[in-house]
Amino acid sequence: MNIDVIINKENYSVEKTIEKIIGLLCEYEYSEVMKLFAYTNIKLNSEAAKSSGYMVSPKLTRNVPFIYVTKASSGHKKIDNIDQLFEQYSNLLDELSKCYTNIVDFSRQDSFHKSYISYHFDFPTISIRQYFNFFFTNREILGKIYNLKNDEYVVRLIHTLFLLINFERAWNKNFKSSPYANYLKWKNINNTLNFEGSSSIYYQIPINMIKKIFKKYKIYDLDIIDKIFLNISNTIKTNKVIYPTEVNKLYPQYFGLRNNNSIVFMRNFNVLNSIYEFILSSKEFNDHNKGIYLEKRTQLLLEYVFGKNNVFYKVYDEYGAENDFIILHQEYIISVECKATRFAEPFFDERKAHTRLVQNFKKTIQKAYDQSERIVKNFDNGKMKFYDSDKKEKRNVVLDLSNFNFDKFQSIVVTLEKYHTLGTELQISITQTKYINLPLVIDINSFEILLNKCTLSYNTAKFIEYLDRRSEFYGFVYPTNADELDCFGYFLNYGNIIKDSVTGLSIIIGSGYSSFVTDFLEIDNYMIFNELYGI
């Protein structure tokens, strides 16, 4: 860790550090640089598994190689000591990360810069199963944006992505005793990294081994590799400075890099996020499609947890105003509003970022809060009926709250994607009234994980308790990477501290608390590969 970047920050800049990284990489042959990229991904994954998190942002590690391919010409050096070169490279990645975080004051007043860092350098919490289901649900869109012939080709593309993530498991399961397979493994033995208690992991996955795996799983379209891997030797070079924050816009469709003989990509399932974002940002996945997808997924989740008869979807009040969901649970009425508007990318410039994020907040979270508040205002005016249509002449009563005994009201805003500090620090921006508490704001993937955790390890009552207590977190608990699951993980461990908190006290919590929520995913992430491929 380079402390000097923090102490003497005026001597460092993003541009200078990018130049140093490219200068180092350009000393080596293309194939050697590919090896370094792969080695770095594997080593950082290993280090993260042993500690509380990544020493370098995984998203930064994934994006920097794409900057290299726009700048580099092949050098002449071979790698003498991979560990020594990894140390140099990872230190420069750390320096680059600190050049960005130097702009951020992680105090509670600086929520917009924290959104910038969280948006560009943290992967959202999405499980492998959630990625898989998202791709399959939206495979028609996936086929269009990759220009694939038909649904069969799309399915093959999806299986390609997931088989490559677990290449070693697939290989050992199917070819461990094959003479030809053992020959290929011996031939590529210098391209592997061994960890105690695990099988060899390939720095770069050889194309000839991929062909054999593909054939086993009836994937005969090797051109799929060209669609999702950027060829390192055929990229147009530029003198323009390319920033890590621009990579997803420049190369949204690519999973990783390739040369003539092998492929390399971030050996972590978060690499699927690039394809996930490619779908979200595509014109085919328009606002209408986003809204339908989010509401249907939320409906299934709510009905699973609270029971179908207790969840009322798309209901209209006396005046024809719509509410997405009203849930009846014991003495509670819970309003749930879905907002599929994409989170607006924060600008580096603080003034512009502030303006853009405030606008984003008003049309999503503030609007959802106002819609929920309207329910309580109607109660006060004796308007307790909800209908199946906004047309007065042809509507039917589907819910009459006067028939129920309730004395508690809570609200939830479910977004399509993570809303960073706009959600976790909403007290800064929201216009609150006396009618209702501040809502829980959470993206659909985190919401599903949180509810599954309650179902598996606790019960629905635990979620309701968190919902009751969530308002107390605002202005008191500040997660550094703006993740609602960190807040819930903190609640599971230290909920009583919040109840007895001292006025004016605030706590800044790190990213490790989400692990108390996501621990069950380790088994599920393993099981999905077993279910799909028998590995």
Side-chain angles (χ1 to χ4, degrees):
M1 180 183 291
N2 189 348
I3 301 297
D4 190 61
V5 188
I6 300 171
I7 298 173
N8 299 304
K9 61 176 70 175
E10 67 278 358
N11 296 332
Y12 296 86
S13 71
V14 170
E15 293 79 10
K16 287 178 182 177
T17 305
I18 290 174
E19 187 177 338
K20 285 193 277 186
I21 291 172
I22 300 304
L24 173 67
L25 298 176
C26 284
E27 296 177 20
Y28 295 87
E29 295 179 3
Y30 279 149
S31 59
E32 298 292 280
V33 176
M34 291 267 283
K35 183 177 181 179
L36 174 65
F37 289 154
Y39 186 85
T40 299
N41 288 325
I42 295 167
K43 287 284 285 186
L44 291 177
N45 284 341
S46 175
E47 291 299 321
K50 296 175 185 176
S51 63
S52 59
Y54 283 87
M55 56 187 284
V56 178
S57 158
K59 191 177 275 192
L60 188 67
T61 307
R62 183 259 172 193
N63 288 349
V64 166
F66 286 92
I67 300 175
Y68 162 75
V69 299
T70 66
K71 299 286 184 182
S73 56
S74 183
H76 302 289
K77 281 187 179 181
K78 296 276 190 181
I79 297 175
D80 292 324
N81 187 321
I82 187 73
D83 285 305
Q84 188 175 34
L85 185 58
F86 162 75
E87 196 71 24
Q88 283 181 268
Y89 179 56
S90 61
N91 282 339
L92 285 173
L93 290 177
D94 180 60
E95 180 181 312
L96 181 58
S97 179
K98 284 184 171 59
C99 285
Y100 277 103
T101 55
N102 274 342
I103 67 169
V104 180
D105 173 11
F106 278 101
S107 69
R108 50 188 166 179
Q109 289 80 22
D110 192 29
S111 66
F112 298 108
H113 275 148
K114 281 189 280 185
S115 278
Y116 179 88
I117 296 297
S118 175
Y119 178 88
H120 286 294
F121 299 102
D122 295 329
F123 283 112
T125 304
I126 304 175
S127 72
I128 294 177
R129 191 178 298 275
Q130 287 174 330
Y131 277 123
F132 186 85
N133 290 340
F134 181 79
F135 295 158
F136 250 80
T137 300
N138 297 290
R139 62 184 183 276
E140 183 179 348
I141 294 171
L142 194 59
K144 287 179 181 177
I145 61 181
Y146 276 104
N147 195 26
L148 299 173
K149 294 178 183 178
N150 52 43
D151 187 63
E152 186 179 349
Y153 276 77
V154 181
V155 172
R156 290 175 188 169
L157 170 63
I158 294 170
H159 286 309
T160 295
L161 298 173
F162 284 82
L163 282 168
L164 289 176
I165 287 175
N166 248 325
F167 175 80
E168 285 80 10
R169 269 171 62 185
W171 181 267
N172 291 333
K173 172 71 176 180
N174 292 289
F175 303 116
K176 196 169 186 179
S177 60
S178 162
Y180 177 66
N182 286 328
Y183 163 72
L184 287 177
K185 188 171 182 179
W186 171 81
K187 186 178 179 181
N188 290 286
I189 195 68
N190 291 326
N191 186 33
T192 61
L193 182 63
N194 291 291
F195 289 102
E196 185 178 347
S198 65
S199 59
S200 299
I201 299 175
Y202 287 86
Y203 300 139
Q204 306 168 75
I205 303 179
I207 298 293
N208 54 5
M209 296 178 80
I210 293 172
K211 289 179 182 178
K212 197 162 179 64
I213 283 286
F214 277 14
K215 187 176 180 181
K216 177 69 179 178
Y217 290 94
K218 298 180 181 178
I219 300 172
Y220 305 109
D221 318 294
L222 281 177
D223 60 331
I224 285 178
I225 293 295
D226 292 320
K227 288 184 180 293
I228 59 175
F229 287 91
L230 180 64
N231 195 316
I232 197 170
S233 58
N234 295 338
T235 311
I236 298 174
K237 308 300 186 248
T238 177
N239 291 322
K240 178 188 171 186
V241 176
I242 305 295
Y243 295 95
T245 53
E246 298 177 305
V247 165
N248 283 347
K249 294 177 184 176
L250 294 172
Y251 303 109
Q253 72 273 38
Y254 290 115
F255 198 64
L257 304 176
R258 68 160 295 179
N259 57 23
N260 293 332
N261 302 312
S262 61
I263 62 170
V264 63
F265 58 95
M266 188 175 75
R267 301 303 298 276
N268 180 299
F269 72 86
N270 281 319
V271 71
L272 293 166
N273 192 252
S274 58
I275 312 297
Y276 182 85
E277 287 289 330
F278 191 30
I279 295 174
L280 283 183
S281 60
S282 68
K283 63 181 181 181
E284 287 80 8
F285 199 43
N286 56 39
D287 290 344
H288 177 71
N289 289 336
K290 288 184 179 77
I292 291 175
Y293 169 80
L294 178 60
E295 288 181 4
K296 290 300 180 185
R297 190 170 162 193
T298 302
Q299 182 181 13
L300 290 172
L301 187 57
L302 295 176
E303 289 178 352
Y304 172 75
V305 174
F306 295 100
K308 190 172 184 179
N309 293 334
N310 298 316
V311 177
F312 296 84
Y313 173 48
K314 276 197 178 300
V315 294
Y316 302 84
D317 66 18
E318 292 278 2
Y319 308 104
E322 182 189 66
N323 287 97
D324 289 336
F325 297 95
I326 293 178
I327 301 168
L328 303 181
H329 179 74
Q330 298 173 356
E331 71 273 27
Y332 285 84
I333 292 177
I334 304 170
S335 168
V336 180
E337 292 295 328
C338 294
K339 296 300 172 189
T341 301
R342 295 213 65 192
F343 179 79
E345 176 189 348
F347 293 118
F348 189 80
D349 180 273
E350 182 177 1
R351 181 181 57 82
K352 291 181 179 179
H354 185 278
T355 301
R356 190 175 198 186
L357 291 174
V358 166
Q359 291 172 344
N360 199 188
F361 183 89
K362 285 181 178 179
K363 65 183 180 182
T364 52
I365 297 172
Q366 183 67 58
K367 183 179 179 181
Y369 176 83
D370 294 342
Q371 287 172 300
S372 296
E373 179 194 49
R374 188 179 60 224
I375 297 174
V376 179
K377 285 183 176 180
N378 284 340
F379 294 165
D380 288 353
N381 294 325
K383 306 293 185 182
M384 300 230 177
K385 292 180 180 178
F386 290 85
Y387 304 85
D388 58 3
S389 173
D390 59 349
K391 306 290 191 298
K392 286 190 176 183
E393 64 277 6
K394 52 178 181 181
R395 66 184 187 180
N396 302 298
V397 175
V398 292
L399 175 62
D400 186 349
L401 293 175
S402 64
N403 296 327
F404 299 90
N405 293 319
F406 59 87
D407 59 10
K408 294 182 180 179
F409 182 91
Q410 294 292 1
S411 62
I412 304 169
V413 182
V414 181
T415 58
L416 182 61
E417 57 187 325
K418 184 178 174 181
Y419 255 60
H420 306 277
T421 55
L422 291 189
T424 58
E425 299 179 21
L426 64 82
Q427 80 283 353
I428 295 173
S429 304
I430 201 164
T431 302
Q432 187 182 8
T433 67
K434 63 179 181 179
Y435 287 94
I436 61 174
N437 292 330
L438 294 177
L440 165 66
V441 178
I442 190 166
D443 68 275
I444 184 62
N445 293 306
S446 296
F447 193 36
E448 182 176 51
I449 291 169
L450 188 154
L451 287 175
N452 281 338
K453 176 63 178 178
C454 288
T455 302
L456 292 168
S457 302
Y458 301 96
N459 47 40
T460 307
K462 178 61 71 173
F463 171 68
I464 296 298
E465 182 188 355
Y466 182 61
L467 201 55
D468 278 340
R469 302 285 300 284
R470 185 58 184 92
S471 289
E472 301 172 41
F473 275 61
Y474 295 117
F476 174 63
V477 176
Y478 293 86
T480 55
N481 68 343
D483 189 345
E484 186 62 33
L485 293 182
D486 281 325
C487 291
F488 184 59
Y490 184 85
F491 163 77
L492 292 178
N493 285 272
Y494 304 110
N496 289 333
I497 293 178
I498 301 163
K499 185 182 293 184
D500 303 324
S501 61
V502 179
T503 303
L505 178 68
S506 63
I507 296 177
I508 298 174
I509 61 173
S511 58
Y513 284 99
S514 62
S515 64
F516 294 110
V517 188
T518 60
D519 51 359
F520 73 94
L521 289 179
E522 186 174 345
I523 296 174
D524 190 58
N525 287 343
Y526 177 88
M527 289 305 299
I528 187 171
F529 289 102
N530 186 265
E531 294 166 15
L532 292 171
Y533 312 114
I535 59 176

